[in-house]
Amino acid sequence: MPRVLILNPADDIAVALDDIAVGDTPQGLDVAATADIATGHKIARHAVAAGGLVRRYGQVIGRARTAIAAGNHVHVHNLMMDDGPREAEIGVDARPVATRSDATFRGIVRPDGRVGTRNYIGVLTSVNCSATVARRIADAFPDSSLPGGVDGVVAFTHQGGCGGSSLSSDVTLLQRTLAGYARHPNFHSILIVGLGCEANQIPAWLANEGLEAGPTLRALTIQEAGGTARAIEAGIAVVRELVEAAATVKRTEVSASHLVVGLQCGGSDGWSGVTANPALGAAVDLLVEQGGSAMLSETPEIWGAEHLLLRRAADQGVADRLNARLAWWRDYADRHQMELNNNPSPGNLKGGLTTILEKSLGAVAKSGSTPLNDVIGYAEPLATPGLTFMDSPGYDPCSATGQIASGANLIVFTTGRGSVFGAKPAPTIKVASNAKLASWMDEDMDVDASPVLTGAPMADVGREIFERILAVASGEKSKSEALGIGDNEFVPWAVGAYL
């Protein structure tokens, strides 16, 4: 008979480990299924009255839209959002972390002491108008032509930089994001290319962000260079010098405390919150014990699970900052006539997730169990070791762009449906939530977390992810890097309007 998984004794549902046919009585339940139920989806353990709360992980994931009978398939047709209050005792779960310092990786120590995991040269753009010139410059340096030790020359283009006031929130946010990339330790050096008349003026950007042009931060504008062709020629000459300098960089053994890992999940399914996300959480706990840092993000995807983070807040100020961001998102959704429960995508729904509450409870598991030490804005510099929350949309490329700008030198991305995300300059490790995905998309998946479902200890899978982090940080290519992914995933957050 098909099997089910009961995650918490208080749960009103069980999760199908195998496809369940109508009339089947799954192992571990004393009720027969009233409908076909796919693996990863939910079956009611007992009856729930219309309007009654439904729990998974021991937490509320919604209210019964209609009366639910024992054995029913529980999904969008009979389960709806519940936006009632979620009580949280601030800091009650903020336990002390036992520190150690025995984990190392082979990193790249920059002159200012920052440590990178890659050695790229970046061609940034101040405005969309300079995108083609930047790409032509980068295209002149294919990976096969580069000397050993130089990971690539990459153009980072976007859709912004003009169309509004130079003091607009979008320009300010773009400047902060670009500055985060300009300072990033995974870059040896940067060339920023502008048009010349855009709202996002390069001299103002440098001044506003406390940056100075110099040997490893060069700038040019198309109008001053004399047009497209001359700008490309000038940019190629600059990058040729930067490549020669970058080739002299060597890796050295450094402490894992220098790692800053951005935590992402996308294309989630019903198993993401059971296998891949908590396994990544176990890896995060190991990283934090070593003095390293991790960033949880995607504010709309902690909605419904924020009380679990508030219970881990290091102090009231951290809790207040998290609550302030949640309040901003509620207002943002209202102003745009949207619902935060719209977040589960068609793929999420097909994989068994029903409400944002259910999705968020699984997503927060990526953060492990250590204290939440800080809450920062999108692309703001990471300031505190340990676990930090960075505000961002739930759109993965946009969120990861902000994490990299904040200092993430590596990304770990969990998926159940099969994301093909990758990023530059921060290498991306992808963790599959189920065995079918790990096998079917084996060229994209770095770690298979599904053994958790067949008895493997969560700590062991977490250790496997942590060891993979150290190996990739030392220079081993992740699956997405081997496929050459990451040139088109630079997506700064645009929150305002174009004029």
Side-chain angles (χ1 to χ4, degrees):
M1 297 300 293
R3 301 161 301 151
V4 296
L5 181 64
I6 299 170
L7 297 168
N8 188 293
D11 287 354
D12 301 292
I13 57 89
V15 185
L17 281 164
D18 308 297
D19 291 342
I20 301 172
V22 60
D24 285 347
T25 301
Q27 296 178 29
L29 292 183
D30 56 2
V31 297
T34 63
D36 293 340
I37 301 172
T39 178
H41 282 245
K42 299 177 288 293
I43 181 173
R45 297 176 63 195
H46 49 248
V48 180
L53 295 174
V54 177
R55 291 175 174 80
R56 176 179 177 172
Y57 307 110
Q59 304 287 333
V60 173
I61 61 169
R63 286 187 181 274
R65 187 185 302 274
T66 61
I68 297 173
N72 278 180
H73 178 207
V74 179
H75 201 32
V76 291
H77 60 287
N78 56 10
L79 183 65
M80 62 182 181
M81 176 72 167
D82 173 68
D83 209 9
R86 292 171 286 274
E87 299 299 326
E89 297 178 69
I90 305 301
V92 68
D93 293 334
R95 61 174 179 80
V97 177
T99 58
R100 51 191 301 178
S101 58
D102 54 324
T104 62
F105 71 101
R106 291 190 60 78
I108 299 167
V109 182
R110 301 300 181 189
D112 61 3
R114 295 171 306 130
V115 177
T117 63
R118 291 295 181 269
N119 193 37
Y120 280 101
I121 292 165
V123 184
L124 300 181
T125 51
S126 65
V127 65
N128 176 255
C129 308
S130 57
T132 297
V133 167
R135 287 200 181 278
R136 296 280 175 82
I137 293 169
D139 288 347
F141 299 89
D143 289 351
S144 59
S145 72
L146 296 173
V150 180
D151 290 298
V153 177
V154 187
F156 295 89
T157 65
H158 52 87
Q159 302 303 310
C162 210
S165 165
S166 59
L167 300 177
S168 70
S169 59
D170 274 359
V171 170
T172 300
L173 202 55
L174 176 61
Q175 288 188 342
R176 190 163 77 207
T177 305
L178 291 171
Y181 273 62
R183 296 188 183 99
H184 201 284
N186 283 10
F187 287 116
H188 168 270
S189 44
I190 293 289
L191 169 64
I192 183 160
V193 182
L195 176 61
C197 57
E198 62 269 23
N200 183 30
Q201 290 284 297
I202 292 176
W205 169 66
L206 293 170
N208 293 342
E209 294 297 332
L211 296 169
E212 292 184 4
T216 59
L217 177 54
R218 310 285 190 89
L220 69 84
T221 63
I222 298 167
Q223 291 167 355
E224 290 181 355
T228 298
R230 292 186 181 93
I232 294 170
E233 183 180 0
I236 290 173
V238 170
V239 172
R240 189 175 291 116
E241 294 177 17
L242 299 178
V243 167
E244 186 176 346
T248 65
V249 170
K250 304 296 182 185
R251 288 181 178 269
T252 58
E253 201 78 16
V254 295
S255 165
S257 63
H258 293 289
L259 286 171
V260 181
V261 177
L263 312 176
Q264 290 289 324
C265 60
S268 299
D269 70 349
W271 298 121
S272 294
V274 180
T275 61
N277 288 348
L280 176 53
V284 168
D285 285 351
L286 294 175
L287 175 65
V288 173
E289 285 179 1
Q290 297 286 342
S293 302
M295 270 187 278
L296 182 68
S297 298
E298 300 182 297
T299 315
E301 295 190 13
I302 66 163
W303 198 269
E306 71 277 5
H307 59 295
L308 302 180
L309 291 172
L310 293 169
R311 289 173 63 91
R312 292 161 56 193
D315 55 48
Q316 186 65 48
V318 170
D320 290 345
R321 291 196 295 279
L322 184 61
N323 279 324
R325 298 319 303 156
L326 290 162
W328 185 92
W329 276 97
R330 182 188 287 276
D331 177 68
Y332 181 79
D334 288 345
R335 281 188 282 117
H336 291 276
Q337 298 181 326
M338 300 173 67
E339 294 182 10
L340 287 163
N341 193 47
N342 288 342
N343 180 276
S345 69
N348 297 150
L349 298 175
K350 189 173 182 180
L353 297 174
T354 305
T355 67
I356 187 58
L357 304 183
E358 182 179 18
K359 184 177 181 181
S360 293
L361 289 164
V364 165
K366 300 192 302 292
S367 66
S369 62
T370 63
L372 176 62
N373 288 335
D374 202 1
V375 174
I376 61 176
Y378 184 86
E380 288 184 350
L382 185 77
T384 309
L387 178 65
T388 290
F389 186 86
M390 186 205 75
D391 182 37
S392 84
Y395 181 41
D396 306 318
C398 179
S399 179
T401 295
Q403 290 179 332
I404 294 169
S406 289
N409 52 18
L410 192 144
I411 303 288
V412 181
F413 193 119
T414 66
T415 183
R417 302 290 296 171
S419 171
V420 295
F421 179 83
K424 295 178 181 178
T428 300
I429 295 168
K430 289 201 289 299
V431 182
S433 73
N434 62 82
K436 180 179 179 180
L437 171 64
S439 174
W440 181 248
M441 295 182 64
D442 58 305
E443 291 183 347
D444 293 275
M445 299 299 125
D446 296 271
V447 179
D448 177 9
S450 68
V452 169
L453 296 177
T454 54
M458 188 72 73
D460 289 356
V461 182
R463 171 64 65 177
E464 180 183 356
I465 296 172
F466 181 64
E467 295 295 339
R468 188 66 186 141
I469 288 171
L470 296 177
V472 171
S474 297
E476 289 188 21
K477 284 190 175 182
S478 68
K479 294 291 185 72
S480 65
E481 286 184 291
L483 290 166
I485 299 171
D487 293 276
N488 302 299
E489 285 72 14
F490 179 70
V491 184
W493 186 11
V495 297
Y498 293 112
L499 299 177

